[in-house]
Amino acid sequence: MKKLKRSARLVEMTQYLLARPHTLISLTAFADRYQSAKSSISEDLAIIKEVFEGEGIGDLHTLAGAAGGVRFIPKCRKDQALDKIKGICRQLEQPDRLLPGGYLYMTDLLGQPGLLQEVGQMFATAFADRDIDAIMTVETKGIPLAHATSLYLNVPVVIVRRDHKVTEGSVVSINYVSGSNKRIQTMSLARRALREQSRVLIIDDFMKAGGTVQGMIDLLNEFRAVVAGVGVFVESGEVDNEERLLHDYTSLARLTEVDLKSRHIAVTPGNFFKEEAQ
Amino acid sequence: MKKLKRSARLVEMTQYLLARPHTLISLTAFADRYQSAKSSISEDLAIIKEVFEGEGIGDLHTLAGAAGGVRFIPKCRKDQALDKIKGICRQLEQPDRLLPGGYLYMTDLLGQPGLLQEVGQMFATAFADRDIDAIMTVETKGIPLAHATSLYLNVPVVIVRRDHKVTEGSVVSINYVSGSNKRIQTMSLARRALREQSRVLIIDDFMKAGGTVQGMIDLLNEFRAVVAGVGVFVESGEVDNEERLLHDYTSLARLTEVDLKSRHIAVTPGNFFKEEAQ
């Protein structure tokens, strides 16, 4: 890369850091990349750090010493996130989302890149301090959420299939009971998709009693992998605590009321916002 | 937002533009956001433009006049993209990817956020000048590619399902014949997922004769929507021209040889790189 002026270097460093979250970049690597003294690089990083932390883009962790460097940890500010989730809740409350059986149509929302980035940032903030090797989800609607989160945590996504596909090689399958309709279903994961001992963050779009998530946890056991966290976009508040299979999870929104007759839906911020929302 | 110094403003503007591709931002909006004169904003944009265009991040289109503004168009440089795709081809050629039936295991690659960003940038570059309202793909493996592309084109993703799900509402279904194995299959899309007259970019992970993509085109016709482009990650070179159902598409890689006995796989850059690769 040709030598840049400070102003141009700040632009380049900003995009370089944003594209490499949760990655340690040494001061030496930056000094070489920009043919600049480490002292200049440190000054640049101080400016970037102030903007990133002030504007709710994320933290810039600097490590001092010979092996020193910098790591960008994407984090949204809780107050900004709460504003955004309230907007999402209003969208989820639109009466025409109500489908037969009390299901909520939200496929359109899960296709919008802007919303996915916001939700990905929230999950990445919730689990920023966990040690995570991979994100797991089950097809189909959890996939965009898992990938949006993976961009900010910089770990790969592993997709559990609801059927066995020929293009996956040997797979591990388990049966599970979906808590909401009590049907026995199958989910499977390619043997080579996940290393043993992996620490896995589970992400899904909707959780009622938690049967599907519990199925993924059982599947992780088959791989001798460990649950590093569970994040759900929308949880159903219509489940009493006894029925709930799972208690340790982070939800971004909570479906508190569905009235099929009046077509009234109520959605509030989830437990991620617990202190702020009360 | 509090008033920032120029250096901090450059950092903030860079992240602001990167997060809003293909979006016109008026100079007035920037001047208000940063409480700065339009002349200062213009100078900042000139610096950002030079770095973005020089380093292969994208173009910054500036519109002069009273309604003037700036639009960030993510674009990768073809030489850099060719280097990256060659690295991806080497990974695809690993002999242990070969599955029974001559299929190629590539689910692991489609889970890696770094690779997906590179591929998304390539597709966004290939289709940067088309007028696109939505990206369509079919579950499951096309989904990460479609979403990666949507981040850079800033349009929503629409997912065609291989089965009818209760949580989608009324759907339109069609039958199609997958060109490679001649089986009749069904694909469906929720009626409300796509507006009539939409201009749609089709993205998929793998194409042999093109039966699945042709199915999606037939489905688009049912919605009175229009194909704005077709992008496939890997195309099979083992199809002769007569067998091929589709001729107007962009491929990033091409599977030119699969020898089950010797377990030899050859993958070369696709037609996106045609001039450069020859």
Side-chain angles (χ1 to χ4, degrees):
Chain A
M1 175 177 282
K2 71 173 185 238
K3 193 161 160 62
L4 301 171
K5 284 188 193 162
R6 156 150 284 171
S7 53
R9 198 170 63 219
L10 279 168
V11 171
E12 223 289 323
M13 280 174 86
T14 300
Q15 77 82 21
Y16 191 89
L17 286 164
L18 287 171
R20 287 159 186 81
H22 286 270
T23 306
L24 181 67
I25 301 158
S26 70
L27 279 187
T28 311
F30 267 139
D32 290 350
R33 182 174 173 85
Y34 301 114
Q35 301 161 57
S36 301
K38 284 190 191 177
S39 57
S40 307
I41 299 291
S42 290
E43 286 168 30
D44 295 346
L45 289 171
I47 294 167
I48 296 174
K49 182 183 171 78
E50 199 182 330
V51 174
F52 277 20
E53 298 184 356
E55 303 304 326
I57 298 158
D59 296 346
L60 218 56
H61 291 181
T62 41
L63 280 88
V70 62
R71 198 190 301 265
F72 165 51
I73 311 292
K75 274 192 186 167
C76 54
R77 262 174 30 203
K78 276 277 178 87
D79 59 327
Q80 292 176 340
L82 187 59
D83 280 347
K84 287 172 184 169
I85 206 74
K86 281 178 180 169
I88 293 170
C89 289
R90 293 301 83 75
Q91 289 189 71
L92 287 167
E93 286 176 336
Q94 292 156 357
D96 58 356
R97 297 200 171 273
L98 213 49
L99 294 170
Y103 286 97
L104 220 54
Y105 181 80
M106 51 186 205
T107 306
D108 57 331
L109 298 179
L110 299 180
Q112 292 174 12
L115 182 141
L116 287 168
Q117 284 178 75
E118 289 173 4
V119 169
Q121 282 166 337
M122 292 179 205
F123 279 135
T125 303
F127 301 106
D129 303 326
R130 310 274 177 102
D131 186 14
I132 295 167
D133 301 311
I135 297 174
M136 174 186 264
T137 191
V138 62
E139 60 181 346
T140 302
K141 281 182 286 180
I143 301 175
L145 295 168
H147 276 282
T149 308
S150 88
L151 282 180
Y152 298 102
L153 289 177
N154 200 19
V155 292
V157 172
V158 164
I159 298 171
V160 176
R161 307 292 295 254
R162 292 194 196 268
D163 52 5
H164 174 126
K165 291 285 176 187
V166 68
T167 49
E168 300 277 315
S170 76
V171 301
V172 179
S173 294
I174 61 146
N175 294 318
Y176 69 101
V177 179
S178 167
S180 37
N181 57 18
K182 311 285 182 203
R183 273 194 309 157
I184 290 183
Q185 300 184 58
T186 304
M187 56 167 78
S188 49
L189 184 63
R191 174 56 74 188
R192 58 173 117 184
L194 198 61
R195 254 193 288 268
E196 291 205 347
Q197 315 292 342
S198 294
R199 297 184 50 83
V200 178
L201 170 64
I202 294 174
I203 295 284
D204 210 358
D205 61 316
F206 191 78
M207 185 176 86
K208 243 175 160 167
T212 306
V213 171
Q214 187 58 52
M216 284 192 263
I217 294 173
D218 294 345
L219 198 52
L220 285 182
N221 289 335
E222 293 294 320
F223 283 81
R224 298 173 180 278
V226 182
V227 186
V230 175
V232 294
F233 178 43
V234 180
E235 66 164 317
S236 170
E238 288 191 314
V239 183
D240 53 41
N241 261 331
E242 264 177 57
E243 218 185 330
R244 202 175 284 291
L245 298 168
L246 198 81
H247 296 276
D248 187 11
Y249 61 88
T250 299
S251 67
L252 301 184
R254 185 179 170 92
L255 181 62
T256 53
E257 207 188 316
V258 180
D259 189 318
L260 286 167
K261 273 191 193 164
S262 67
R263 300 191 76 78
H264 180 258
I265 305 167
V267 185
T268 58
N271 65 23
F272 176 58
F273 300 97
K274 214 157 186 182
E275 312 94 77
E276 289 80 0
Q278 278 171 346
Chain B
M1 177 176 283
K2 72 176 175 124
K3 193 161 163 61
L4 301 171
K5 285 187 190 162
R6 159 151 281 170
S7 53
R9 197 170 65 218
L10 279 168
V11 171
E12 222 291 323
M13 280 174 86
T14 300
Q15 78 81 20
Y16 191 89
L17 286 164
L18 287 172
R20 287 161 187 79
H22 286 270
T23 306
L24 182 66
I25 302 159
S26 71
L27 279 187
T28 310
F30 267 138
D32 290 349
R33 181 174 174 84
Y34 302 112
Q35 302 163 55
S36 301
K38 284 190 189 177
S39 56
S40 306
I41 299 291
S42 291
E43 287 168 33
D44 295 345
L45 289 171
I47 294 167
I48 296 174
K49 182 182 171 79
E50 201 181 330
V51 174
F52 277 19
E53 298 185 355
E55 303 304 326
I57 299 158
D59 296 346
L60 217 57
H61 292 180
T62 40
L63 280 89
V70 63
R71 199 189 301 263
F72 165 51
I73 311 291
K75 273 192 187 166
C76 53
R77 261 170 37 197
K78 276 276 178 87
D79 58 329
Q80 292 176 339
L82 186 59
D83 281 346
K84 286 172 184 169
I85 206 74
K86 281 179 179 168
I88 293 170
C89 289
R90 290 304 80 76
Q91 289 191 72
L92 287 167
E93 285 175 337
Q94 291 156 358
D96 58 354
R97 295 198 172 275
L98 212 51
L99 294 170
Y103 286 95
L104 222 53
Y105 181 81
M106 51 186 205
T107 307
D108 57 331
L109 299 179
L110 299 180
Q112 292 173 14
L115 181 143
L116 287 168
Q117 283 179 74
E118 289 173 5
V119 169
Q121 282 167 338
M122 292 179 203
F123 280 135
T125 303
F127 301 106
D129 303 328
R130 311 274 177 102
D131 186 15
I132 295 167
D133 301 313
I135 297 175
M136 175 187 264
T137 191
V138 63
E139 61 181 344
T140 300
K141 280 182 287 180
I143 301 176
L145 295 166
H147 276 281
T149 308
S150 88
L151 282 181
Y152 297 102
L153 289 177
N154 200 17
V155 293
V157 172
V158 165
I159 298 171
V160 176
R161 307 292 295 254
R162 293 195 196 267
D163 52 5
H164 174 127
K165 291 286 176 185
V166 68
T167 50
E168 300 280 313
S170 76
V171 300
V172 179
S173 294
I174 61 146
N175 294 318
Y176 70 103
V177 179
S178 167
S180 37
N181 57 17
K182 311 286 183 204
R183 273 195 308 156
I184 291 182
Q185 301 184 55
T186 304
M187 57 168 76
S188 49
L189 184 64
R191 173 57 72 191
R192 57 173 115 183
L194 198 62
R195 254 193 290 267
E196 290 205 349
Q197 315 292 341
S198 295
R199 298 184 49 83
V200 178
L201 169 63
I202 293 174
I203 295 285
D204 210 357
D205 61 315
F206 191 78
M207 185 176 86
K208 244 173 160 168
T212 306
V213 171
Q214 188 57 51
M216 283 192 265
I217 294 173
D218 293 345
L219 199 52
L220 285 182
N221 289 336
E222 293 293 322
F223 283 82
R224 300 173 179 280
V226 182
V227 186
V230 174
V232 293
F233 177 44
V234 180
E235 66 162 318
S236 170
E238 289 191 311
V239 184
D240 54 40
N241 261 330
E242 263 177 55
E243 220 186 326
R244 202 176 283 290
L245 298 168
L246 198 81
H247 296 275
D248 186 11
Y249 61 89
T250 298
S251 67
L252 300 184
R254 186 178 168 94
L255 181 63
T256 53
E257 208 187 316
V258 179
D259 190 318
L260 285 170
K261 273 191 196 164
S262 67
R263 302 191 73 79
H264 180 258
I265 305 167
V267 185
T268 58
N271 66 21
F272 176 58
F273 301 97
K274 213 158 185 179
E275 313 94 76
E276 288 79 2
Q278 277 172 351

